[in-house]
Amino acid sequence: MSYFDHAATSLPRAPVALEGALRGAELGNPGRGLHRLQRAAADEVDRARRAVGALLPAMTVTFHAGATAALNQAIAGLRPRPRVVALGPMLHNAARRPARALGVPTWTLPHDADGVIDLDRARAEWVDDTGLVVVGHSSNVTGVGQPVEALCALAKALGARVVLDAAPTAGVWSLDLGADLVAFSAHKHLRALPGTGVLGVGPGVELEPLVRGGVGFDAAADEMPEVLPERLEAGTPNLPGILALGAAARVGVSWDVEAASGALEEVVHAAGLRVLGRSADAPALPVVSFTVAGQEPRAVEEMLDRVFDVTVRAGLHCAPSAHRVLGTERTGTVRVSSGSTTTAGDLAELARALGDLARHARAAS
Ligand SMILES: Cc1ncc(COP(=O)(O)O)c(C=O)c1O
């Protein structure tokens, strides 16, 4: 099987992550108690936190049950509550839905036809009272990145906080961009476990916890402690997930992402298929969306899986606003995405499958 759904989750998991998970599963409950098993577990969590912290300079690392949980914590927990929220044009629902659920006015940052934010227009059209900008680092539909560093500088100058959804980019692009809060998953390019995520909290950012409970100290108080990370980490932590992520972060991802992105796009172009949203020169991850004339994207996904043994993902990819930008909101697109474990053989299989598919589609039309 040739796997081209790394944008959903990257497989296979990193061997060091699986070793970390096994170690985590055998640990005692971490805490500030006295017995040695508690200390040993707390030391392991601290070590993982330091490894992940290298991806988020000057931020406090807090662990959550995925990027979705981290984004909800960031957006719904931010204090003071924003009165107006600016949304990135290509947001995943993990960021868009919690932002819309705040129940305050939202506006979409101006952008070009590929969904890349236009900073000059954003400055000129900035909506008064915007207290929060929610933006994705790169689109999980087209792979195309946003000018996050310049956007953070603009937001800061205009008095707004920035929440960055870095689920697709953690481990492969720098996250040191000036955002106030950065959320990502363990199971994408870092190849650790699903159900584990991170929220990096910048200095001076105030968050109300969404989940309350025990933290291993201050048990007599009714309130959650003020101190991070414990303020946001009630309950027994996901030790297998955290240790897996720590191990994966220590090893890092060695991968020429730019070359991989170009190679994947070239395969789709070479088959004569219509690539969407990658006309500009913006940096991009190897995530390419296309349509096949006369074919429903879901039928294409099924055929690639059943007939060609190639795994891709069709539909809206949990990012309806991205598809509105691309004009594909009715049926979505077919998306191929590669990862650091994708081989030249996988790409050759994909090229063969897409070539056959495109020829059949042309013959049928
Ligand atoms: C862009 C983006 N943001 C957020 C998420 C949610 O991540 P998680 O699965 O860790 O909750 C995903 C997962 O598909 C994603 O692609």
Side-chain angles (χ1 to χ4, degrees):
M1 177 199 281
S2 295
Y3 183 73
F4 283 93
D5 198 16
H6 291 264
T9 197
S10 197
L11 296 171
R13 306 284 176 222
V16 288
L18 296 179
E19 285 161 21
L22 274 181
R23 257 202 345 278
E26 298 284 14
L27 287 175
N29 200 340
R32 297 192 178 176
L34 293 175
H35 74 64
R36 282 168 295 162
L37 289 180
Q38 272 195 49
R39 279 280 15 130
D43 288 349
E44 286 277 15
V45 172
D46 285 350
R47 191 158 161 260
R49 206 182 299 278
R50 281 196 300 279
V52 174
L55 302 175
L56 296 169
M59 295 192 128
T60 303
V61 170
T62 63
F63 292 118
H64 301 266
T68 303
L71 285 162
N72 273 268
Q73 173 60 69
I75 294 166
L78 185 65
R79 297 292 179 269
R81 289 176 205 272
R83 282 196 285 195
V84 175
V85 178
L87 301 175
M90 305 292 274
L91 285 182
H92 189 281
N93 276 338
R96 185 178 166 84
R97 284 181 171 164
R100 296 283 293 160
L102 291 175
V104 301
T106 60
W107 58 285
T108 301
L109 288 157
H111 55 85
D112 68 11
D114 290 347
V116 177
I117 294 164
D118 180 330
L119 289 164
D120 291 334
R121 279 182 56 210
R123 190 178 297 104
E125 296 169 26
W126 197 262
V127 175
D128 284 348
D129 277 343
T130 298
L132 172 63
V133 174
V134 181
V135 67
H137 201 178
S138 76
S139 165
N140 68 311
V141 177
T142 63
V144 173
Q146 297 289 5
V148 172
E149 198 162 12
L151 178 64
C152 289
L154 177 65
K156 192 170 183 183
L158 296 172
R161 297 284 195 194
V162 177
V163 171
L164 177 65
D165 177 2
T169 55
V172 293
W173 283 357
S174 167
L175 305 184
D176 188 15
L177 303 167
D180 297 283
L181 292 149
V182 179
F184 64 82
S185 316
H187 67 101
K188 302 222 184 232
H189 289 306
L190 287 161
R191 295 195 296 131
L193 299 192
T196 316
V198 169
L199 180 62
V201 183
V205 177
E206 195 192 326
L207 289 173
E208 187 70 21
L210 299 191
V211 178
R212 294 177 164 78
V215 299
F217 62 93
D218 267 0
D222 267 351
E223 288 296 319
M224 287 293 284
E226 293 292 330
V227 61
L228 288 174
E230 289 85 354
R231 183 168 176 73
L232 303 183
E233 291 184 354
T236 303
N238 168 9
L239 292 168
I242 291 171
L243 265 63
L245 175 57
R250 259 191 303 282
V251 169
V253 183
S254 42
W255 186 29
D256 185 341
V257 188
E258 207 181 321
S261 182
L264 189 64
E265 187 174 335
E266 181 48 36
V267 164
V268 182
H269 275 306
L273 296 164
R274 180 171 164 248
V275 171
L276 289 131
R278 287 176 67 110
S279 57
D281 223 8
L285 293 186
V287 179
V288 179
S289 261
F290 61 90
T291 51
V292 184
Q295 307 268 332
E296 289 287 320
R298 286 193 184 280
V300 173
E301 173 185 329
E302 198 172 10
M303 191 185 306
L304 285 171
D305 184 45
R306 305 275 161 83
V307 180
F308 296 97
D309 208 16
V310 170
T311 309
V312 305
R313 179 71 66 89
L316 296 180
H317 314 100
C318 298
S321 55
H323 285 282
R324 280 194 287 277
V325 169
L326 301 174
T328 49
E329 67 270 37
R330 199 181 60 77
T331 54
T333 54
V334 184
R335 179 187 76 183
V336 289
S337 51
S338 61
S340 57
T341 55
T342 301
T343 64
D346 292 327
L347 275 178
E349 280 297 299
L350 179 68
R352 190 177 64 79
L354 294 185
D356 279 5
L357 185 91
R359 263 190 300 283
H360 277 112
R362 278 194 291 272
S365 66

